[in-house]
Every structure is written in structure tokens, then in C-alpha cells.
Amino acid sequence: MTGAGYDQDAPARILVVDDTEASRYITGGWLRRNGHEVIEADTGAGALASVRSTPVDLVILDVNLPDMSGFEVCEAIKSDPATAALPVVHVSASMIEASDRAAGLTRGADAYLSEPVDPGELLATVKAALRYYRARAAAERLAARLSRLTAVNLGINAARTFPALVTAAAQGAAAVLDCAATVLVRLRDGGEMWGSTEGTAEPVVLSTTHPLRDLADEALPEDTTSALRTLPDGRTCVVLARIRSDHPVTCVALPASAVVAQEDRDLLVQIGLTTAVAAEGLRAFTDEHDIALALQRSLLPSRLPHRSGIRMAARYVPASTVAQVGGDFYEVTELGDQILVAIGDVTGHSIEAATIMGEVRHALRAYAIEGHPPALIVDRLNAMLRRFHPEGLTTLCVMLLDPLAGKASIANAGHIPPLVIDADGARYLRLPGALLGVRTPRPPATEIDFPAGTTIVLMTDGLIERRTAALDADMEHLRASMRADEDPESTCERLLGTYGRNKDDDIALLVLRRD
């Protein structure tokens, strides 16, 4: 429909269909004097061609046409989804019986007038039909917009990064209001992220500055959470939104031509407020994530020991999708001529998991300093957990290296086994043992050789485990990728780059190589 949208009585484009030129002239004159635009057709085929090629708001249709009846033309218009909502008013000088009017209305017409038609009656009928269909079209348009707004709100609130948030907000504003859109979100460190798109199907361009930059600094009244403003040039309409008066302002800008009615303004304000809420959530998440990461790192070794003949590298990578501290840890401690190496994972992501992890790590070091071998360390840690943290199930692998003798003693408690790489290839050690926190007999430690040129890789399951694949398959894929001549730092970087991106679990990785 081509009517002026929100004004139900605005002038319309009307198609007058009559094979008599004088009738078309008279009817067209009445309509034009009331501000309507008139186009004409003298056959049914011409009428159908016009409504399919030219946007029309209403059809005044003679019943008697030379090529087909007006009833057939009306049925064709109403059966086509592209024109089904087009109002049709029948006019007839010969078919004026009640049965004729009933047939016309039954076959799809919105009104039926008999000639001679009174000008006032014709104009009133046209106005009534236009009002009804324009109100219906406006309601359908609003329903479609609200449906899009719901999807946009979900997309905005699902964003987990600032670029994703700005992109979702810009695309959403463009989709709901069918126009170009620009969005500003303030970052936690005071920086800015702008996103602009030229329309619904166009990409969003991200930047750190924008010509609207000065507007973003404009202050809102203290008790105001949102404000809608039009720039002095009259071409841009902007909503400024925030959660509280002391919080940063979020900005969503659209062409002023797209924000005409109150409905448009309400939709724009809703998008602005949703974006502001999501931005505040991301800023809070970033703060929480940084605090959690600082706490987690404080519970890990500050540095690795330097020992001639042994090269080591370690990495800890927090989960990318959670802010809570996790239970992954590693330990490397010198014990005279020997080196204690351990890696483990307390189930869950919470303060409790981090607390248990800290206790396990400190108890591990205490038992090691007392001179206990790996198997006894595991046994004592198991007793400690069962006594004080019965819900704190933990996997652990403890290894005591003797670099001078080229030997290693390993005790495993349900953890991913060490991966050994040497001239013969790469293989996982088969180490029995249930995870800590379970009452069960535990096997003795496994003794292995650790000759020069051998690399041992210890990892937590966050490195390779995926919810969509079997762990065994991922472990085999990693094993096949290992190289005997790779140094520990390069191994860590390669494994994290290949397997450790965008994981929802923490990753601890420890690589040792005997030269």
C-alpha cells in the first residue's frame, strides 16, 4: 500500500476501472478534487496489469467490462498474495439487484455501489475502505516490527563481547526500522566502540571513533535514563540511554526520516535501552572476569624453576565464556636434585572449586617436601579431600622427575595421562587410578625412563575436550600432531592456537623436555 502510513485520511492512489471514458472522467474528477491521485484502466486485463506493476491503495471497479466481469477481476486481485489486502469497490449501472450486490461482496469486494452514484456516497465509501485497510496494514506492520524487536533483543542480550553487542544492536535497529543505523557502546576502560550499517542487508563497520562523537558526550538530565533528540541539521535522530545517572551513555542513531511516528520513537528508545542494559552487563562481566582471573593466577606458580638439561613451558588459559574461577592448576617444585610436577582439575567453576584447588596444591607441596613419593602423595590427598571436601572430586597427575638418572615416577588419579614424545613417536602412558575423593584401592606409581630428547606433555581436559566429539578422538588427533624436535614454548603456542580457542572450560598445559 502506498498511503502516507500513519495518516488514515491521507490522499491515496486510486485505480478507476471502467470501459466508458465519460464515467472514468467523472469519477476521477470527484477523487482528484479530494486530493487523490487517479490512474485509469478500461479493461479487466489492464486493471490486473496496473495493480501488479504500480502500487495502488484502492480500486474502483466497474462490474461490466468488455473482456471479463468485474467479479472475476476482483477475485484475481484478492487471490494474489501481493494484492490480497487491496480494497475493491464495485460500481455498476445494470447489476443493481440485491443478489448482484451479494454476489459482488461474497466474491471479495469491500463495497458495492449502484449508478448513478452520489459523489458524497462514493467519497465516504472510499474513505471508509481506506481507513479500514490502512489501520489493518498499520497493525500488521507493528506486529511484524514487534516480532523483529523480540528477535533483536534476544540477539543483543546474547552478545558476549563488545564487538558482538555493537554489531547486534546496529543490525537490529536497521532491521526493525528498515534504515541505516549507528551504535555507540562505551567500554570498561573508557574507550568507545562504534558500529555503522547502511541498511538491513549491509555489513556493520566497527570503529573507535565516529562523526557523532561529540553527541555521545552530551549530558543527560540527572534523573533521566533515556532521551530522544534530533540533530540541528534535521537529518539524524539519536536516542541516548543509560542504566543509572552515573553510568556511561549508549547511543543509537538513525536517519530522522525513519523516525516519524510515535511508534518509531518508541521502538528506537527500546533498542537503545536494551543495548545500554546489555553493555552494562558486559562491563560488569569484564570486571568480574578480570578479578576471577587475578585470583586464579595468584593460586598458580609465579614462575617455573630453571634446571640445567630441562626446558619447561606452562600456560593457564581461563574459560572464555565464564567469569567464575575454575579448578584447573599445575605445580612445578624443585626438591633437591628432583623436580615435582603435577597437574589437576577440581570439578566445577566457583569460589568453592578455587578454594579446593588452592588447598590441594598447598597440601601437595607439603606432602612432597616431607619426602613422600607420588603414590603416597595421591593417597594422602585423597584422604584429605574425603575428610574435608567430600564433594570436591578432583583429577590429578603427580610426577617426580630425576633429571640426573633420567627417570620419572608417576601416579595418576583419573587425569588425562601424560603424553610422551621421543624418537619412536608420541604415545599416552597407560596409568590406572580413580579420581580423588573416591574410596577405592590405589595402584602403585608407574616408573618410566626419561632419556635425553624426550618431551612430556601434561594437560587438563579443557584443551582438547569438545561437547560435540568423543574425548578419545580428540586425544588421538592431538597425539598425531606432536613432533619430537619441537621446543616446549613452541609446543604450548601451537597447541593453544589449534585446540584452545573459545573454550568453555579452563586450560592448564605443562610441557617438559630433557635435552
Side-chain angles (χ1 to χ4, degrees), residues 24 26 31 56 104 126-127 173 186 230 234 238 245 254 281 319 409 423 444 473:
R24 296 197 305 273
I26 293 172
L31 295 170
V56 174
V126 167
K127 177 179 286 189
R186 289 283 174 80
T230 300
V238 177
S245 59
L254 303 179
S409 178

Side-chain angles (χ1 to χ4, degrees), residues 260-277:
V260 178
Q262 185 61 44
E263 171 193 317
D264 303 328
R265 293 189 284 272
D266 291 343
L267 290 170
L268 178 55
V269 170
Q270 179 62 48
I271 293 172
L273 287 171
T274 301
T275 304
V277 171

Side-chain angles (χ1 to χ4, degrees), residues 288-351:
E288 184 180 355
H289 188 271
D290 288 349
I291 293 171
L293 182 57
L295 174 60
Q296 180 80 357
R297 292 196 182 281
S298 71
L299 298 174
L300 296 174
S302 58
R303 61 180 181 83
L304 296 178
H306 295 280
R307 176 64 68 90
S308 177
I310 298 288
R311 283 186 288 163
M312 309 177 198
R315 297 290 190 275
Y316 169 77
V317 181
S320 58
T321 57
V322 295
Q324 298 94 342
V325 290
D328 291 33
F329 69 95
Y330 65 88
E331 178 61 52
V332 182
T333 301
E334 291 185 286
L335 300 172
D337 293 335
Q338 297 180 319
I339 302 174
L340 176 77
V341 178
I343 193 165
D345 184 4
V346 180
T347 57
H349 284 86
S350 64
I351 293 296

Side-chain angles (χ1 to χ4, degrees), residues 464-474:
I464 52 176
E465 187 175 32
R466 297 176 296 166
R467 300 186 187 278
T468 57
L471 179 60
D472 288 346
D474 288 331

Side-chain angles (χ1 to χ4, degrees), residues 181-497:
T182 297
V183 174
L184 159 69
V185 169
R186 289 283 174 80
L187 306 181
R188 183 177 60 90
D189 59 2
E192 298 177 350
M193 181 162 291
W194 293 83
S196 299
T197 178
E198 294 301 319
T200 304
E202 300 300 320
V204 174
V205 179
L206 300 177
S207 62
T208 57
T209 186
H210 193 273
L212 295 176
R213 172 70 180 77
D214 293 340
L215 179 69
D217 288 332
E218 187 173 344
L220 291 175
E222 185 173 347
D223 59 346
T224 301
T225 58
S226 66
L228 196 66
R229 296 172 182 172
T230 300
L231 299 191
D233 62 8
R235 294 184 299 179
T236 304
C237 184
V238 177
V239 62
L240 303 174
R242 63 188 177 191
I243 304 305
R244 295 198 320 234
S245 59
D246 57 341
H247 286 200
V249 170
T250 295
C251 167
V252 181
L254 303 179
S257 58
V259 189
V260 178
Q262 185 61 44
E263 171 193 317
D264 303 328
R265 293 189 284 272
D266 291 343
L267 290 170
L268 178 55
V269 170
Q270 179 62 48
I271 293 172
L273 287 171
T274 301
T275 304
V277 171
E280 187 59 33
L282 273 183
R283 285 189 289 266
F285 175 89
T286 302
D287 288 339
E288 184 180 355
H289 188 271
D290 288 349
I291 293 171
L293 182 57
L295 174 60
Q296 180 80 357
R297 292 196 182 281
S298 71
L299 298 174
L300 296 174
S302 58
R303 61 180 181 83
L304 296 178
H306 295 280
R307 176 64 68 90
S308 177
I310 298 288
R311 283 186 288 163
M312 309 177 198
R315 297 290 190 275
Y316 169 77
V317 181
S320 58
T321 57
V322 295
Q324 298 94 342
V325 290
D328 291 33
F329 69 95
Y330 65 88
E331 178 61 52
V332 182
T333 301
E334 291 185 286
L335 300 172
D337 293 335
Q338 297 180 319
I339 302 174
L340 176 77
V341 178
I343 193 165
D345 184 4
V346 180
T347 57
H349 284 86
S350 64
I351 293 296
E352 182 180 4
T355 301
I356 296 173
M357 180 269 283
E359 290 189 31
V360 169
R361 177 172 172 254
H362 292 307
L364 168 74
R365 299 171 73 184
Y367 295 145
I369 291 173
E370 289 180 350
H372 300 300
L376 187 53
I377 290 175
V378 168
D379 190 62
R380 294 199 171 192
L381 287 173
N382 184 60
M384 183 271 288
L385 283 174
R386 292 184 59 250
R387 171 70 181 276
F388 298 108
H389 301 287
E391 303 299 324
L393 298 178
T394 303
T395 66
L396 178 69
C397 182
V398 180
M399 180 167 56
L400 190 61
L401 296 178
D402 187 339
L404 296 179
K407 300 287 185 180
S409 178
I410 307 174
N412 196 48
H415 198 79
I416 292 178
L419 180 59
V420 178
I421 307 100
D422 55 23
D424 295 329
R427 64 192 181 281
Y428 290 101
L429 298 178
R430 296 189 177 278
L431 301 175
L435 75 171
L436 301 180
V438 177
R439 181 195 292 271
T440 183
R442 297 191 174 274
T446 299
E447 307 295 329
I448 67 168
D449 292 329
F450 187 35
T454 301
T455 298
I456 297 179
V457 179
L458 300 169
M459 72 199 82
T460 55
D461 57 6
L463 177 65
I464 52 176
E465 187 175 32
R466 297 176 296 166
R467 300 186 187 278
T468 57
L471 179 60
D472 288 346
D474 288 331
M475 289 175 62
E476 173 57 26
H477 189 272
L478 183 144
R479 184 203 66 78
S481 74
M482 301 308 295
R483 300 193 296 268
D485 58 347
E486 193 171 41
D487 69 89
E489 287 289 342
S490 299
T491 299
C492 285
E493 291 300 316
R494 179 177 61 81
L495 294 182
L496 289 178

